C-alpha cells in the first residue's frame, strides 16, 4: 500500500494547503477505496456526513490532490474521470461492460520506456497500461 493519509496530509500542509475536515474525508475515502471512484461516487459516499459539501467542492479538492501528486486521475474513454490514490507502479484491468477497474501488479515496464525514449528521442515521463475485457461477473453466462 502507498502513503498513509497522515503522510499525504503532511505533504499537503508543506505546500501550504489548509486541511479541512472535508479534504481529510475525501482523501481518506480515496485511500481506503479499491474501486477508483468517480467524483459523484465520492459525493454520494460522503454527503450523509457532510450535507453542506457540494459536488463542486469534491471536484476542486480532487484537482488539488492531483496537482499535489497525491492522487492519480484515470480517464478512460468518455466516462467521467476516476481517481486513484495508489501511486505505486501498478496497472489496471477495465471491464468494457460495467466499468469496474481492478488493480494488478506486474513488473514495471521501465524497459518499454527506455526503448520508447531511444527510438523516439522523447524524454519519457511515464506510461499507462490498461487491459480491457469483461470482469468475472459480466463474463458469466446469464441463464
Amino acid at each position: 500500500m502507498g502513503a498513509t493519509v497522515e503522510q499525504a496530509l503532511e505533504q499537503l500542509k508543506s505546500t501550504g494547503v489548509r486541511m479541512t475536515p472535508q479534504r481529510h474525508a475525501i482523501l481518506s475515502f480515496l485511500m481506503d477505496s479499491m474501486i477508483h471512484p468517480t467524483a459523484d461516487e465520492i459525493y454520494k459516499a460522503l454527503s450523509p456526513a457532510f450535507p453542506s459539501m457540494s459536488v463542486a467542492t469534491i471536484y476542486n479538492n480532487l484537482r488539488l490532490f492531483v496537482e499535489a501528486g497525491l492522487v492519480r486521475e484515470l480517464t478512460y474513454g468518455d466516462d467521467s474521470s476516476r481517481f486513484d490514490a495508489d501511486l505505486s507502479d501498478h496497472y489496471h484491468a477495465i471491464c468494457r461492460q460495467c466499468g469496474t477497474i481492478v488493480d494488478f501488479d506486474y513488473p514495471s515496464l521501465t524497459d518499454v520506456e527506455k526503448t520508447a525514449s531511444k527510438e523516439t528521442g522523447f524524454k519519457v515521463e511515464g506510461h499507462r497500461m490498461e487491459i480491457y475485457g469483461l470482469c468475472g461477473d459480466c463474463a458469466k453466462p446469464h441463464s
Side-chain angles (χ1 to χ4, degrees):
M1 191 54 209
T4 65
V5 176
E6 277 62 41
Q7 288 167 317
L9 298 180
E10 280 311 309
Q11 192 176 328
L12 274 178
K13 275 192 210 131
S14 70
T15 59
V17 174
R18 219 165 48 81
M19 190 39 63
T20 64
Q22 292 170 328
R23 281 189 185 141
H24 191 285
I26 295 168
L27 204 52
S28 299
F29 181 77
L30 266 173
M31 291 184 139
D32 293 339
S33 168
M34 296 310 293
I35 61 164
H36 310 82
T38 62
D40 282 341
E41 286 168 341
I42 298 170
Y43 174 71
K44 285 191 189 98
L46 297 180
S47 58
F50 296 94
S52 63
M53 186 159 58
S54 66
V55 177
T57 304
I58 302 223
Y59 272 109
N60 294 337
N61 282 299
L62 288 168
R63 278 291 138 268
L64 186 83
F65 297 154
V66 169
E67 281 164 23
L70 294 176
V71 172
R72 204 178 272 167
E73 183 172 0
L74 311 173
T75 46
Y76 297 111
D78 35 50
D79 267 331
S80 43
S81 291
R82 293 179 165 274
F83 295 88
D84 187 358
D86 180 356
L87 299 179
S88 64
D89 274 337
H90 68 281
Y91 300 103
H92 296 119
I94 301 139
C95 181
R96 291 186 289 102
Q97 200 160 306
C98 68
T100 292
I101 301 175
V102 180
D103 290 345
F104 69 95
D105 286 317
Y106 188 79
S108 185
L109 300 176
T110 44
D111 50 339
V112 173
E113 291 188 0
K114 284 185 193 126
T115 304
S117 177
K118 205 160 70 192
E119 291 192 14
T120 62
F122 273 54
K123 179 186 174 298
V124 175
E125 295 173 345
H127 69 274
R128 174 169 105 172
M129 179 173 69
E130 291 131 34
I131 304 296
Y132 293 97
L134 295 176
C135 70
D137 284 343
C138 292
K140 271 188 204 133
H142 296 286
S143 46

